Amino acid sequence: TVGGKILGEIHQIDYYNNNKLQILFNTKDSLYLLDRNGKNVEDFPIKLINRAITGHTLLDYDNTRKYRILIPSEDKMVYNYDKTGTLVKGWEFEKMIEKITQPLKYHIQNQKDYIYAIDNAGNGKIIGRNGKKRIDLGKIPLIDAFYIDKNNGYVYTTDKQANVWLTDLKGNQTKIKTNTISQPYYFIAENINKDELTEFIIAKNTLNCYQLEAEIFSVNIQSEHIPSIFYFNNQTLIGVNHEDNIYLLKSNGEIYPGMPLYGKGLFNCMD
């Protein structure tokens, strides 16, 4: 039995290096690792040093299965665990000003590891493998989620009116999409067209997709959860749900053939 609500995403790791996968997740109090039969692996669950405030970030820097598990906690710290649930020695993370309510994000820039930590007030920094600060991003406009541009490491965020902001690696901020949408809303930044520009999806009463200030499409569907992005056979699909129906949209906003299907809540697609 899991002793609490699962926070964030569920990941898989190869704990025994035998090409058999186990399921990794965390609650507020514990880190869990289950085998394919749902049984606890080794000494799991492991009680966390401090209560988690969001889900973990799983890293495997060199694809050697030397996993690192980063968990933001209520004490404004980020703790670094190895695959056994033991704290990693040499981790030198400095406490944030406010709590980190979103999982950390990872990016490789100029052959260096960039780990992004942004707290609930928008104070942001980029750290390295040892937890030390590489770059001070300053205070970023942040209301909803943040996203990393995979080409240059820039940060995309939104403010209270859903204006989209870009923060570069020097902490410079530029408003790149103007909006007047009140909260709550959902925000996604993703290169769904596979070109050189990142698209922005903002969903409230309708689902709208933009490249900078230009609208790519608008669909009259009010998504009740944050839309999901799926990749199948070189195409990008956007998953949304409304009332008792779930939809898949093509990257141009067209509804995928056979949609909608009956269903409620968040859903996943697998090939």
Side-chain angles (χ1 to χ4, degrees):
T1 301
V2 177
K5 179 182 177 181
I6 296 175
L7 302 180
E9 296 184 2
I10 296 173
H11 293 106
Q12 292 181 312
I13 67 171
D14 183 356
Y15 185 91
Y16 295 107
N17 289 333
N18 62 358
N19 295 318
K20 294 182 179 180
L21 299 177
Q22 296 78 38
I23 298 171
L24 179 76
F25 59 89
N26 68 277
T27 62
K28 281 189 175 182
D29 298 306
S30 301
L31 181 65
Y32 286 80
L33 187 65
L34 305 180
D35 65 18
R36 62 183 63 190
N37 296 315
K39 295 182 179 179
N40 291 316
V41 173
E42 300 294 336
D43 295 326
F44 285 86
I46 302 295
K47 185 173 177 59
L48 299 175
I49 294 296
N50 198 280
R51 297 187 77 186
I53 200 167
T54 187
H56 69 277
T57 299
L58 176 67
L59 301 177
D60 182 8
Y61 297 114
D62 302 311
N63 295 318
T64 58
R65 301 174 187 172
K66 189 177 180 180
Y67 301 106
R68 293 295 181 257
I69 304 161
L70 308 183
I71 302 182
S73 299
E74 289 187 349
D75 61 355
K76 305 175 186 177
M77 287 290 293
V78 173
Y79 293 96
N80 187 0
Y81 300 85
D82 65 16
K83 70 176 184 179
T84 69
T86 302
L87 287 176
V88 174
K89 294 181 180 180
W91 179 249
E92 300 183 37
F93 186 88
E94 293 185 3
K95 183 181 292 191
M96 301 294 287
I97 297 174
E98 300 294 339
K99 295 178 181 179
I100 301 174
T101 56
Q102 297 187 54
L104 279 68
K105 298 195 175 182
Y106 176 73
H107 174 69
I108 298 177
Q109 185 70 25
N110 299 324
Q111 298 181 329
K112 294 180 179 179
D113 300 296
Y114 279 18
I115 303 169
Y116 294 72
I118 304 178
D119 70 21
N120 199 38
N123 302 295
K125 64 181 177 181
I126 297 173
I127 60 176
R129 291 189 188 189
N130 59 2
K132 285 185 177 181
K133 182 169 62 179
R134 284 191 185 276
I135 298 173
D136 186 351
L137 295 173
K139 192 161 186 176
I140 298 173
L142 177 68
I143 291 297
D144 201 61
F146 74 94
Y147 297 88
I148 309 303
D149 190 303
K150 295 180 177 62
N151 292 322
N152 48 40
Y154 295 170
V155 182
Y156 296 113
T157 58
T158 53
D159 59 23
K160 292 181 179 180
Q161 288 76 42
N163 297 304
V164 181
W165 291 82
L166 179 152
T167 301
D168 67 19
L169 295 179
K170 295 182 179 180
N172 300 315
Q173 298 169 2
T174 305
K175 185 192 296 184
I176 55 177
K177 173 71 185 83
T178 303
N179 278 307
T180 55
I181 299 173
S182 60
Q183 297 175 264
Y185 60 82
Y186 298 114
F187 168 62
I188 296 176
E190 188 79 18
N191 189 353
I192 63 175
N193 290 328
K194 299 301 179 184
D195 53 17
E196 295 181 356
L197 292 176
T198 297
E199 282 74 44
F200 310 121
I201 294 175
I202 297 177
K204 189 173 182 181
N205 297 324
T206 60
L207 187 145
N208 300 287
C209 180
Y210 306 93
Q211 269 192 354
L212 300 177
E213 292 287 355
E215 183 177 271
I216 306 300
F217 65 78
S218 179
V219 181
N220 190 25
I221 296 177
Q222 182 177 356
S223 184
E224 296 170 359
H225 296 276
I226 187 167
S228 301
I229 307 295
F230 307 111
Y231 297 99
F232 293 107
N233 301 322
N234 295 320
Q235 63 177 333
T236 305
L237 300 176
I238 304 164
V240 297
N241 71 297
H242 177 63
E243 295 181 345
D244 293 336
N245 293 311
I246 60 174
Y247 296 81
L248 286 176
L249 308 178
K250 298 180 181 179
S251 59
N252 62 1
E254 293 181 1
I255 296 177
Y256 196 81
M259 296 291 146
L261 299 175
Y262 175 77
K264 290 186 176 182
L266 295 170
F267 64 95
N268 203 347
C269 293
M270 301 185 68
D271 189 355

